[in-house]
Structures are given as structure tokens and as C-alpha cells.
Amino acid sequence: MDKFVKLTGVAAPYPVVNIDTDMIIPKDYLKTIKRTGLGAGLFAEARFKEDGSENPDFVLNKPAYRHTSILVAGDNFGCGSSREHAPWALLDYGIRCVISTSFADIFYNNCFKNGILPITVTPEELEKLLDDASRGSNAVLTVDLESQEITGPDGGKISFSIDEFKRHCLLNGLDDIGLTLEKASAIDAYEKKTATSRPWA
């Protein structure tokens, strides 16, 4: 998993409340267990028309936001079913940070396991960030996980809090497998000891 230390990028405003995982990645894309390629299906029902052409009104189809890496979204983001394909799709598209006033618990935790930073802010702070994000190609935010600050295009800063363990994992690029491998020497020592003391096991 890639480390998340500091991210500077264009932020896209998507002030829709109750964005569920079906909206993030429709069921048609759930046949795969691969984490790659799902970016094409991100918000597919909103991004594309029935004939497959792009919906020009959808924010990620607008020229200024085609390469966004930060999403500023409405309340209760990631609700609905617990599919991990949702953060997979966001990450594959290039989004490394989602900012909202609240997240569904399972989606929130799945983000950390996949290298995405979900940030919870107050409604007042969200309004300010949505205003920043509405500036098109000038909608550049810097998210600093070490200092736990978001810096807007005008230099204004918003502080955010994060669980220290989750912060440690993102800063060091540790998913569940990476955390286990940190204990590799202890695991090896235990297995060697067991092989000697219990050779029949």
C-alpha cells in the first residue's frame, strides 16, 4: 500500500448527501476481485448517460476536475452495503482523500485499509472546503497527514483529528498484511521454537 504523508491536488466538489456504495460503484462492476480497473466504473450511473456517453454535467467530467485526487462530499458518504469495491474504485480513479461531515463506519475503515484518507470536518468547515473546491482548476488543496491540516488555495488552514493507529498505518503504507509482516521476525522465531519443541505439530 502506498504511503500517505502529504497530498496536494485538485479537489472536486460533490455536495450530495447519502452517497452509498451502489452509487460509488454500481453492481455491474462487482464481478471482479481485482483492485484495478474499477476507476472506469466510479460513479458510473452519474458519470455516463444510458448510451454510454459522458454526462457533461457530472463534476468529474468537467475539464478542471478530470484529474482530481481529493473529493469534497456531502454528509454520510459511503453508506449502504459494505462492498470494498467502493474504495478500490476511488483509488483506481486517483482519489486518495475524501472529505465529508460523516462516513459510514465500514466504508471509513475500508478506506484506511486501501490507502485512502477519509477526513471528517464540521458542516461549517465543509461549506468552506466546497467553496474552495468550486474554483475549478484553482481548487487546489493540500492535505498534510503529519500535521493533520488541510490548506486551501487562499492559505487558510483547517485542522482535523484522526485515530493515531490509523494515522500510523497510512503514514507508513501499512495495510493488514503489512502490519503482519512487521512481526515477521517474531513469527519466524515462534515457528522455529515450535518446530523444535513440538516436531509432531
Side-chain angles (χ1 to χ4, degrees):
M1 188 172 81
D2 290 338
K3 296 179 180 180
F4 189 115
V5 179
K6 182 184 286 188
L7 172 66
T8 297
V10 172
Y14 196 33
V16 179
V17 300
N18 301 322
I19 293 292
D20 63 32
T21 52
D22 294 323
M23 297 166 71
I24 296 171
I25 184 72
K27 63 182 182 302
D28 298 350
Y29 295 87
L30 302 186
K31 298 173 184 177
T32 181
I33 58 172
K34 295 180 180 179
R35 300 187 183 197
T36 56
L38 288 171
L42 181 69
F43 298 119
E45 293 177 353
R47 277 173 66 199
F48 305 108
K49 298 179 180 180
E50 288 187 6
D51 63 2
S53 63
E54 289 188 349
N55 172 8
D57 295 326
F58 186 71
V59 63
L60 297 182
N61 290 335
K62 296 181 179 180
Y65 299 110
R66 285 188 178 273
H67 301 291
T68 188
S69 56
I70 302 167
L71 188 67
V72 184
D75 189 55
N76 196 27
F77 191 87
C79 57
S81 60
S82 60
R83 61 185 65 165
E84 197 170 359
H85 291 69
W88 291 356
L90 287 163
L91 187 64
D92 191 62
Y93 185 85
I95 294 174
R96 293 288 315 272
C97 178
V98 182
I99 304 171
S100 179
T101 50
S102 70
F103 295 90
D105 287 343
I106 294 176
F107 173 83
Y108 183 80
N109 289 313
N110 280 340
C111 280
F112 288 101
K113 294 179 180 181
N114 289 281
I116 297 173
L117 174 60
I119 298 176
T120 304
V121 296
T122 67
E124 294 75 22
E125 290 169 337
L126 185 72
E127 285 302 315
K128 174 65 171 67
L129 291 167
L130 284 170
D131 180 63
D132 288 340
S134 68
R135 300 184 189 188
S137 58
N138 293 320
V140 177
L141 300 180
T142 294
V143 178
D144 190 327
L145 183 55
E146 286 188 310
S147 64
Q148 296 179 212
E149 286 184 331
I150 304 167
T151 304
D154 58 359
K157 295 183 183 295
I158 292 175
S159 297
F160 61 91
S161 59
I162 199 105
D163 176 82
E164 186 55 37
F165 175 71
K166 289 181 170 63
R167 177 174 174 270
H168 167 79
C169 290
L170 275 183
L171 285 172
N172 293 281
L174 298 171
D175 56 12
D176 289 346
I177 295 173
L179 284 167
T180 301
L181 291 176
E182 280 196 318
K183 309 292 185 183
S185 59
I187 293 170
D188 289 342
Y190 172 80
E191 289 179 343
K192 289 177 181 176
K193 179 181 177 181
T194 300
T196 303
S197 63
R198 302 172 61 214
W200 61 88

